[in-house]
Amino acid sequence: MAKKKASSRAGQTYRIAVIPGDGTGPEVVREGLKVLETVAETVGIRYETTEFDFSGARYLARGGDPAMPSIPVITEEDIARLKTFDAIYLGAVGDPKVAPGILEKGLLLRLRFELDQYINLRPVRLYPNVPCPLVGKGPKDVDFIVVRENTEGIYTGMGGVQYQGTPQEVSTQINCTTRFGAERAIRYAFEFCRRRNNPKRMVTLVHKTNVLTFAGGTWFRAFQEIGQEYPDIKKDYNHVDACCMWFVKNPEYYDVIVTDNIFGDIITDLAAIIQGGLGVAAGGNLNPGGLSMFEPMGGSAPKYTGQNVINPIAAIAAVGMLLRETGTHRGDKKLVDAGDRVERAILATTPKMKSQAAGRMGYSTTEVGDLVAEAVRKTA
Ligand code: IPM
Ligand code: MN
């Protein structure tokens, strides 16, 4: 954050923390880094990477209990070290040998919360020649952005369980919603909509205000009030259940969506399948003023691990986002251009692939990485 002047950027070396993580994470990250190296060479960007071995394997090797969280998956010192970087590139979190929740909460959610990555940005874009499960829909129909609030809602872990294991068992999971949290997500969405400059120029708030009247009310009021600062942008609202229906029926309706944490989690998986599957969906956990983390959405895919068959396109798209978002927030046009270049190289590569599904691409993981790297060199 200290580096402010554009002129001082020419020689700046960006420092990227790389967390390959579990399962197929390391395989796809390798291809992402291959493309990063190529685009950095082509455009003239200086960067260095440092690898962190945070993973299920490390947790177990350090004596972590596979059944319940017994030691921190990452420590305070790990987080302090990460904070010195310009961006984080994450492969995947999730190990079948470790009970669900331990790594997700101990690594991914912990980083989102501790680094205050309050935006989860999910571009939903159907690449050329990628089959869409929606009959009659093509790339021009599936092209929108979901801005998911990433630090609140029912993800905070507030609540508890009492009388566990008895017939009287009772649990609460609190939907922690703050005006502050809703407001910053909404503002980000409006600003993003302006930058994106799609002719639709519309932000859709997605919630469930007819039932969640308290939390929904906070979101709705914030949306209406902040919306007044953006007279050039259309304001729209969908209930989350209706939104799911519209994703399938009329995805071309959407431009930018803003929503809370859990609704965003759910609708972005639905969105991933209409953009061609988890092999292509990338996301960013953003702290726009600080340290952001970029990841493919596919997870660790244990059954494909080590076979060189997993699709690296999502991980490569995450590199594109890392460059574009870091460039945007640092005011470094070269980085933004590099991100756009990665995106164009993906657009040139997907038509060559037989499928976006693991094992059916017509190419191996490494070969797809090579194709994108080659396209980066060729596409101006
Ligand atoms: C995602 C993932 C995570 C989430 C899990 C792994 C905790 O599903 O990024 O969407 O629910 O946020
Ligand atoms: Mn999810």
Side-chain angles (χ1 to χ4, degrees):
M1 287 309 295
K3 310 128 193 164
K4 265 248 148 21
K5 265 183 30 209
S7 56
S8 69
R9 276 215 188 79
Q12 177 169 352
T13 301
Y14 289 97
R15 295 175 63 245
I16 303 171
V18 179
I19 308 173
D22 299 308
T24 49
E27 290 167 64
V28 294
V29 157
R30 205 172 300 133
E31 301 315 308
L33 293 177
K34 185 190 280 175
V35 173
L36 176 62
E37 192 180 338
T38 310
V39 78
E41 246 170 53
T42 315
V43 177
I45 292 167
R46 301 220 318 232
Y47 74 98
E48 59 188 41
T49 57
T50 304
E51 199 171 306
F52 290 81
D53 65 347
F54 311 147
S55 61
R58 185 181 92 147
Y59 172 78
L60 293 173
R62 295 186 159 196
D65 185 337
M68 65 177 98
S70 60
I71 58 167
V73 180
I74 50 171
T75 62
E76 296 289 332
E77 297 80 67
D78 292 330
I79 292 169
R81 264 193 82 200
L82 283 175
K83 281 185 177 164
T84 67
F85 286 81
D86 295 302
I88 304 175
Y89 182 38
L90 171 68
V93 176
D95 184 329
K97 294 197 209 77
V98 180
I102 297 179
L103 301 172
E104 291 83 348
K105 281 188 177 172
L107 179 57
L108 185 60
L109 297 184
R110 176 114 192 260
L111 286 178
R112 285 177 182 173
F113 292 173
E114 297 249 3
L115 302 175
D116 199 21
Q117 292 167 339
Y118 60 90
I119 300 295
N120 192 304
L121 190 65
R122 279 276 291 106
V124 181
R125 180 170 192 186
L126 179 65
Y127 292 124
N129 206 34
V130 173
C132 177
L134 308 177
V135 177
K137 302 293 179 189
K140 67 172 187 349
D141 303 305
V142 182
D143 184 8
F144 60 92
I145 304 283
V146 179
V147 174
R148 161 184 171 191
E149 198 292 319
N150 210 30
T151 53
E152 298 192 348
I154 60 176
Y155 273 69
T156 57
M158 292 168 76
V161 58
Q162 190 66 277
Y163 313 126
Q164 191 172 332
T166 76
Q168 288 78 30
E169 177 163 334
V170 50
S171 54
T172 57
Q173 197 92 48
I174 292 173
N175 182 359
C176 168
T177 300
T178 71
R179 168 77 190 212
F180 172 78
E183 198 166 317
R184 61 185 183 171
I186 289 165
R187 202 174 290 284
Y188 185 89
F190 277 112
E191 292 291 332
F192 195 95
C193 183
R194 259 193 194 157
R195 271 208 306 281
R196 174 171 153 90
N197 203 18
N198 185 287
K200 284 174 247 175
R201 257 184 128 66
M202 176 172 81
V203 178
T204 304
L205 170 67
V206 168
H207 210 284
K208 184 75 185 172
T209 54
N210 53 346
V211 176
L212 308 186
T213 51
F214 308 132
T218 298
W219 273 90
F220 200 77
R221 283 186 294 277
F223 186 69
Q224 298 232 295
E225 283 166 36
I226 291 161
Q228 284 175 12
E229 296 169 31
Y230 300 87
D232 51 317
I233 297 174
K234 228 190 288 165
K235 271 71 78 179
D236 179 47
Y237 172 80
N238 283 178
H239 290 319
V240 63
D241 43 358
C243 168
C244 291
M245 200 176 67
W246 291 115
F247 270 18
V248 174
K249 192 167 183 294
N250 291 110
E252 67 280 4
Y253 174 76
Y254 295 103
D255 179 10
V256 175
I257 289 173
V258 63
T259 190
D260 94 331
N261 209 341
I262 186 71
F263 295 145
D265 180 35
I266 296 167
I267 68 171
T268 54
D269 265 24
L270 178 57
I273 208 69
I274 68 174
Q275 75 181 118
L278 287 169
V280 296
N285 302 278
L286 310 183
N287 177 337
L291 179 56
S292 300
M293 174 166 73
F294 300 85
E295 50 167 341
M297 302 312 299
S300 58
K303 73 173 181 186
Y304 295 120
T305 300
Q307 296 175 35
N308 202 21
V309 297
I310 196 80
N311 190 347
I313 290 288
I316 296 169
V319 165
M321 276 186 91
L322 183 154
L323 292 165
R324 214 168 29 240
E325 295 307 314
T326 310
T328 302
H329 296 297
R330 297 290 173 87
D332 188 340
K333 195 171 170 308
K334 231 180 196 182
L335 279 194
V336 177
D337 288 348
D340 290 344
R341 215 176 165 112
V342 171
E343 179 88 5
R344 285 199 298 278
I346 293 173
L347 295 177
T349 303
T350 54
K352 297 179 188 153
M353 298 166 67
K354 283 211 185 84
S355 159
Q356 298 301 312
R360 282 182 272 149
M361 302 185 291
Y363 296 99
S364 65
T365 307
T366 16
E367 283 168 339
V368 173
D370 291 341
L371 285 174
V372 182
E374 190 186 307
V376 164
R377 272 184 229 107
K378 285 191 187 146
T379 40

